[in-house]
């Protein structure tokens, strides 16, 4: 049987905690509903002990969560925080207590400043406590913070993971808390953990400090990590978390069975941008305004010739797939060829032959050079009727 990725979304926790103005309950609920629309498999709804507002949001979202969607609140390895998390999410049908604790040599020596054996003991105690208070009703996730920075003490980290699993952790999450090194090295460490924990669910949670988070997460899936933690629009601390849309589309392209509602991706991306006040860059993969526009002659020719095929010469996937109804866009600039002339006029209801398009192209080009860029519909008509020597009418 082929393994399907389990998408665990952290927009409402990691994404929210990095916003200049964290979301209120109403805004969180809108994001939550869009995540349900997308049919994600798990949602981290917040950090319940961070504030009363976050506690209330976690508890409300847990109470309206559907049956099969896993719902978690984050806590540090601190008994009080674990208890608050449990109180906040226990109304969910599928609750999860998520505990994070640093594991890298650097973080242990510089942040925790305690001996290794104490780190191990604290991690085990935290998991045992979560197990005890939830009385078998919650799944337990342990995150080894700074896992990606644990090259020097990876043996200790793997042993710690084995011990937290014995204490009751169901999911072991491997964060690249700060992306510092090669995706390859992270993925090799993931492979090692997967081999050492044959009975557990291994998860990855990567950040995008060097811009390689999507690659790291995608390759981690192929190395055996089944749960993938991502955020809508790549929101999150610093350069953000791994972008949900990019990982989902990349895996889908690779033939992986991705169980999500792709058709609501674009709508969700726009909503999250609006609610966060963070604009989507024009060139952002998948969701950027301009990423299905084609302006050069060679590309326009390839797009037009393959537009009705499942694989487009210059498109990684069909924009329809993610709910971008406008599809591929071909526009005319001084770099465009006659295929663009034919295509654009056809979209406007005017059929021209190859020969006519060949004659029109230099006129369009002149118009484009004069207007300084992409021709709008009116300019297209003007250029067209200039050659035809007829009065300009639209439509
Ligand atoms: O980046 C990180 O290490 C985290 C953990 C809480 C998983 O967000
Ligand atoms: Zn994170």
């Amino acid at each position: 049987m082929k393994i399907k990725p389990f998408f665990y979304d952290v927009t409402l926790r990691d994404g929210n905690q990095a916003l200049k103005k964290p979301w209120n309950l109403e805004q969180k609920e809108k994001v939550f509903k869009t995540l349900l629309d997308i049919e994600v498999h798990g949602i981290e709804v917040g950090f319940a002990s961070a504030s009363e507002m976050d506690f209330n949001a976690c508890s409300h979202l847990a109470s309206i969560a559907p049956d099969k969607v896993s719902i978690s609140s984050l806590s540090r390895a601190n008994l009080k925080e674990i208890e608050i998390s449990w109180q906040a999410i226990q109304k969910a049908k599928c609750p999860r207590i998520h505990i994070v604790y640093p594991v890298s040599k650097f973080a242990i020596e510089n942040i925790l400043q305690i001996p290794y054996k104490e780190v191990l003991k604290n991690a085990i105690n935290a998991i045992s406590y979560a197990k005890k208070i939830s009385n078998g009703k919650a799944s337990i996730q342990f995150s080894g913070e700074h896992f990606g920075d644990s090259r020097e003490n990876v043996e200790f980290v793997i042993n710690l993971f084995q011990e937290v699993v014995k204490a009751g952790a169901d999911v072991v999450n491997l964060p690249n808390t700060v992306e510092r090194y090669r995706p390859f090295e992270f993925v090799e460490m993931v492979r090692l953990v997967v081999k050492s924990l044959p009975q557990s669910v291994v998860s990855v949670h990567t950040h995008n400090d060097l811009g390689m988070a999507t690659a790291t997460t995608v390759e981690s899936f192929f190395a055996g990590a089944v749960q993938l933690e991502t955020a809508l629009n790549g929101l999150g601390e610093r350069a953000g978390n791994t972008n949900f849309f990019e990982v989902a589309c990349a895996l889908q392209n690779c033939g992986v069975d991705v169980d999500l509602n792709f058709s609501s991706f674009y709508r969700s991306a726009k909503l999250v941008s609006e609610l966060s006040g963070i604009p989507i860059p024009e060139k952002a993969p998948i969701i950027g305004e301009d990423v299905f526009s084609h302006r050069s002659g060679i590309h326009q020719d390839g797009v037009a010739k393959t537009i009705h095929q499942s694989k487009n010469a210059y498109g990684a996937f069909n924009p329809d797939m993610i709910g971008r109804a406008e599809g591929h866009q071909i526009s005319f600039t001084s770099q465009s060829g006659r295929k663009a002339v034919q295509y654009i006029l056809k979209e406007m209801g005017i059929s021209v032959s190859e020969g006519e398009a060949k004659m029109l192209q230099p006129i369009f080009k002149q118009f484009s050079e004069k207007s300084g860029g992409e021709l709008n519909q009116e300019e297209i008509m003007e250029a067209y009727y200039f050659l035809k020597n007829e009065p300009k009418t639209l439509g």
Side-chain angles (χ1 to χ4, degrees):
M1 194 183 77
K2 271 192 177 175
I3 292 175
K4 294 181 182 180
F6 188 86
F7 276 83
Y8 214 98
D9 187 89
V10 295
T11 313
L12 289 169
R13 197 273 301 164
D14 227 343
N16 183 56
Q17 79 191 36
L19 290 180
K20 288 182 184 150
K21 193 166 174 228
W23 287 318
N24 60 29
L25 176 57
E26 195 189 331
Q27 292 166 314
K28 272 200 155 189
E29 187 166 341
K30 283 186 183 159
V31 177
F32 185 76
K33 288 192 168 150
T34 212
L35 287 165
L36 298 183
D37 237 22
I38 289 175
E39 296 171 11
V40 291
H41 313 116
I43 304 175
E44 183 137 293
V45 287
F47 192 152
S49 51
S51 66
E52 199 181 324
M53 184 165 91
D54 221 26
F55 179 90
N56 292 336
C58 288
S59 138
H60 173 65
L61 299 178
S63 74
I64 60 167
D67 279 11
K68 289 199 179 120
V69 180
S70 186
I71 300 291
S72 64
S73 158
L74 180 67
S75 4
R76 288 173 292 184
N78 167 310
L79 305 194
K80 189 74 207 150
E81 287 187 12
I82 294 170
E83 207 174 309
I84 294 174
S85 266
W86 174 232
Q87 276 168 19
I89 50 132
Q90 57 185 300
K91 285 200 203 119
K93 319 269 184 327
C94 209
R96 177 178 296 185
I97 301 175
H98 180 190
I99 296 163
V100 61
Y101 202 49
V103 294
S104 73
K105 181 173 185 287
F106 183 84
I108 292 172
E109 290 176 3
N110 294 281
I111 300 172
L112 292 180
Q113 301 178 344
I114 55 174
Y116 275 66
K117 60 177 189 315
E118 220 173 296
V119 177
L120 183 62
K121 191 180 86 197
N122 292 347
I124 294 171
N125 282 350
I127 298 296
S128 309
Y129 186 68
K131 195 84 190 157
K132 189 176 103 195
I133 58 170
S134 57
N135 201 15
K137 294 195 191 103
S139 60
I140 316 287
Q141 172 167 327
F142 179 80
S143 284
E145 197 195 17
H146 294 293
F147 169 79
D149 200 14
S150 301
R151 301 187 293 186
E152 301 129 295
N153 63 331
V154 72
E155 278 175 23
F156 165 80
V157 175
I158 287 178
N159 176 51
L160 182 146
F161 289 157
Q162 287 169 330
E163 292 302 317
V164 295
V165 166
K166 276 190 214 152
D170 305 283
V171 180
V172 172
N173 185 34
L174 311 178
N176 207 11
T177 304
V178 179
E179 183 178 58
R180 301 177 200 271
Y181 310 117
R182 293 169 61 191
F184 176 80
E185 283 186 38
F186 183 87
V187 173
E188 284 304 295
M189 283 166 65
V190 171
R191 210 182 293 283
L192 212 58
V193 174
V194 169
K195 230 169 101 189
S196 317
L197 303 175
Q199 309 302 334
S200 311
V201 173
V202 173
S203 164
V204 291
H205 169 115
T206 70
H207 280 267
N208 202 30
D209 299 78
L210 301 176
M212 304 187 289
T214 297
T216 308
T217 291
V218 167
E219 289 308 324
S220 294
F221 172 76
F222 291 108
V226 172
Q227 177 173 298
L228 309 176
E229 297 201 349
T230 53
L232 300 181
N233 297 14
L235 293 190
E237 296 282 3
R238 309 178 307 281
N241 281 68
T242 313
N243 187 304
F244 167 87
F245 302 114
E246 294 175 14
V247 174
C249 291
L251 289 177
Q252 167 99 342
N253 260 18
C254 296
V256 174
D257 189 356
V258 182
D259 221 353
L260 295 165
N261 176 14
F262 279 71
S263 66
S264 63
F265 281 14
Y266 192 47
R267 189 171 55 239
S268 299
K270 287 189 143 175
L271 176 80
V272 168
S273 168
E274 191 188 309
L275 291 171
S276 62
I278 301 176
I280 300 171
E282 270 194 29
K283 292 289 183 189
I286 326 277
I287 56 173
E289 181 72 25
D290 206 39
V291 298
F292 291 102
S293 299
H294 310 278
R295 300 195 177 89
S296 82
I298 296 171
H299 286 212
Q300 290 175 328
D301 183 52
V303 168
K305 282 178 175 153
T306 55
I307 200 122
H308 298 300
Q309 291 176 206
S310 59
K311 181 170 176 175
N312 192 283
Y314 295 98
F317 57 87
N318 190 331
D320 258 8
M321 179 178 100
I322 56 155
R324 297 187 67 151
E326 79 278 18
H328 287 280
Q329 301 293 304
I330 290 186
S331 56
F332 197 94
T333 70
S334 56
Q335 307 280 305
S336 306
R338 61 174 187 262
K339 208 63 191 181
V341 174
Q342 243 183 335
Y343 186 93
I344 294 165
L345 287 172
K346 192 159 177 229
E347 292 276 288
M348 293 166 71
I350 302 167
S351 253
V352 293
S353 67
E354 287 265 340
E356 282 175 303
K358 198 171 170 186
M359 283 193 300
L360 282 164
Q361 191 268 348
I363 315 277
F364 276 41
K365 193 169 168 172
Q366 267 177 30
F367 269 71
S368 164
E369 278 163 357
K370 205 166 85 197
S371 77
E374 199 170 281
L375 296 183
N376 61 32
Q377 277 208 349
E378 219 165 289
E379 290 164 331
I380 298 270
M381 290 311 282
E382 223 175 288
Y384 174 68
Y385 284 110
F386 177 80
L387 187 75
K388 300 223 121 202
N389 211 9
E390 287 170 22
K392 180 186 85 162
T393 44
L394 259 176

